[in-house]
Amino acid sequence: MYPDRYDYAPLPKRPQMKLPDGNRIAVWVAPNVEFYEYQPPPNKYRTPWPRMPHPDVWNYGWRDYGNRMGVWRCFELFDKYNIRGSVSLNVAVFDHFPRIAEEMAKRNWDYMSHGIYNTRYVFGMTEDEEREVITDVIETVKKYTGKVISGWLGPALTTTLATPDLLAEAGVKYWVDYFHDDQPFPLKVRKGRLISVPYSIELNDVIALQMQQHSAETFGRMIKDQFDRLYAEGADSARVMCIATHPYLINTPSREKYLDDAFSYIYGHAGVWNTTGEEIADWYFANYYDVMASQMATAR
């Protein structure tokens, strides 16, 4: 299957997956904390970005609201449910707003890179150029938090054909740019190992609220409906559910109560693993990676 990064493995042919402590569903929450430059440098590659000419005051101000107001509501809400965020981070946020880094480090959050800025894309980069970006990201997060990133979501969902190989080379554990499954899955890389962990386009407030124009109340209902189905399926074999948020969208005064209600519903159930992207990756590597990687090799 082009680009030959993974094989097709029908669900009935997979091993029955069991989560720690008898849980049936792993729920992880990925707040996207972004920095949108007021005047980004020119992009030497012909791409459809940016969406608007710069200075793009609207999108700059929108993300700035997230960092000035929304992220602080996000911290409070996550604390209420003991959620350790798996932050999808434009790492330049830490350079511009070190206080945000301090608060994330205080809560021992997990770090999934979303590139440096949400206005700088990896389309068309050489391997050396992209490797430099990955190195910059790793060093920035470590500088501010002492931790190493565990996952990767391309900046503005941009990628190259070499991205998985370069992530594995750098020791990144998981990649989420494939939205292709409700369970983790091994990816083929030149050297080392890398898995796909289920992220979400469906349960993503940018898609639901901004693009599909659903209300926040409907978005909350979607979260609960998806949880109900995956929770039921998880009785047979574990499922992974990601809720992808953006503080400038869902953590606004008129919307956040619907996310709060969805969290209350989810974490009111027994058998829910309130976890992070890294913990899911570590569980999968320890229990299922070898058997699935072997199955993929045999299929070839």
Side-chain angles (χ1 to χ4, degrees), residues 77-92:
L77 182 61
F78 281 31
D79 289 349
K80 179 178 178 180
Y81 294 99
N82 296 313
I83 297 169
R84 285 178 56 219
S86 299
V87 59
S88 171
L89 179 70
N90 291 151
V91 298

Side-chain angles (χ1 to χ4, degrees), residues 183-220:
Q183 295 179 332
F185 206 82
L187 296 175
K188 302 174 190 176
V189 291
R190 289 189 303 232
K191 184 178 181 181
R193 61 184 191 172
L194 184 72
I195 63 171
S196 170
V197 167
Y199 184 66
S200 186
I201 283 294
E202 296 300 322
L203 296 189
N204 186 312
D205 55 1
V206 163
I207 305 301
L209 302 179
Q210 187 177 345
M211 298 180 68
Q212 296 176 344
Q213 296 290 295
H214 292 306
S215 68
E217 184 175 13
T218 297
F219 182 55

Side-chain angles (χ1 to χ4, degrees), residues 56-77:
D56 183 353
V57 177
W58 176 23
N59 277 297
Y60 171 82
W62 213 356
R63 270 68 171 191
D64 202 34
Y65 180 89
N67 295 324
R68 294 165 62 88
M69 299 296 298
V71 74
W72 307 103
R73 295 191 187 105
C74 177
F75 287 140
E76 290 181 3
L77 182 61

Side-chain angles (χ1 to χ4, degrees), residues 8-298:
Y8 175 66
L11 189 61
K13 296 291 186 181
R14 301 182 194 178
Q16 191 178 49
M17 296 185 186
K18 298 297 182 184
L19 292 170
D21 301 320
N23 291 312
R24 58 167 68 180
I25 184 171
V27 177
W28 65 297
V29 189
N32 289 256
V33 180
E34 301 177 345
F35 195 102
Y36 193 95
E37 293 170 284
Y38 191 73
Q39 187 66 48
N43 187 341
K44 66 179 180 179
Y45 307 106
R46 291 186 60 84
T47 75
W49 308 92
R51 296 178 178 89
M52 298 181 184
H54 284 275
D56 183 353
V57 177
W58 176 23
N59 277 297
Y60 171 82
W62 213 356
R63 270 68 171 191
D64 202 34
Y65 180 89
N67 295 324
R68 294 165 62 88
M69 299 296 298
V71 74
W72 307 103
R73 295 191 187 105
C74 177
F75 287 140
E76 290 181 3
L77 182 61
F78 281 31
D79 289 349
K80 179 178 178 180
Y81 294 99
N82 296 313
I83 297 169
R84 285 178 56 219
S86 299
V87 59
S88 171
L89 179 70
N90 291 151
V91 298
V93 167
F94 283 179
D95 290 327
H96 291 280
F97 310 118
R99 178 65 187 277
I100 292 178
E102 292 173 12
E103 294 298 322
M104 289 181 183
K106 184 192 304 182
R107 291 165 171 81
N108 191 28
W109 275 20
D110 183 27
Y111 300 96
M112 173 176 70
S113 173
H114 200 23
I116 299 174
Y117 287 96
N118 224 41
T119 35
R120 301 190 189 185
Y121 317 106
V122 300
F123 288 133
M125 281 189 176
T126 66
E127 288 196 17
D128 284 343
E129 288 171 333
E130 189 174 8
R131 186 179 287 111
E132 184 176 343
V133 169
I134 294 169
T135 300
D136 187 336
V137 164
I138 291 171
E139 291 178 351
T140 300
V141 172
K142 190 168 185 180
K143 169 186 172 183
Y144 284 100
T145 72
K147 297 185 71 172
V148 177
I149 65 167
S150 56
W152 190 274
L153 174 66
L157 304 187
T158 61
T159 185
T160 73
L161 290 175
T163 298
D165 299 315
L166 299 177
L167 294 178
E169 172 189 295
V172 176
K173 297 177 182 179
Y174 67 92
W175 192 38
V176 302
D177 285 75
Y178 285 130
F179 313 110
H180 65 161
D181 217 304
D182 294 321
Q183 295 179 332
F185 206 82
L187 296 175
K188 302 174 190 176
V189 291
R190 289 189 303 232
K191 184 178 181 181
R193 61 184 191 172
L194 184 72
I195 63 171
S196 170
V197 167
Y199 184 66
S200 186
I201 283 294
E202 296 300 322
L203 296 189
N204 186 312
D205 55 1
V206 163
I207 305 301
L209 302 179
Q210 187 177 345
M211 298 180 68
Q212 296 176 344
Q213 296 290 295
H214 292 306
S215 68
E217 184 175 13
T218 297
F219 182 55
R221 179 73 257 174
M222 290 167 62
I223 294 172
K224 290 189 280 188
D225 287 346
Q226 180 148 325
F227 170 81
D228 285 343
R229 179 58 185 265
L230 294 179
Y231 185 77
E233 294 177 350
D236 177 58
S237 185
R239 297 294 191 269
V240 173
M241 175 173 161
C242 179
I243 304 169
T245 67
H246 295 71
Y248 69 88
L249 278 174
I250 198 63
N251 296 110
T252 55
S254 64
R255 291 173 172 151
E256 189 182 71
K257 66 179 181 179
Y258 299 107
L259 183 59
D260 190 341
D261 178 65
F263 285 162
S264 178
Y265 180 77
I266 288 170
Y267 299 117
H269 286 71
V272 177
W273 186 18
N274 180 359
T275 188
T276 66
E278 182 173 34
E279 289 178 340
I280 293 168
D282 288 343
W283 157 78
Y284 188 80
F285 279 125
N287 295 280
Y288 300 104
Y289 176 83
D290 288 340
V291 65
M292 288 305 300
S294 176
Q295 183 174 318
M296 289 169 59
T298 302

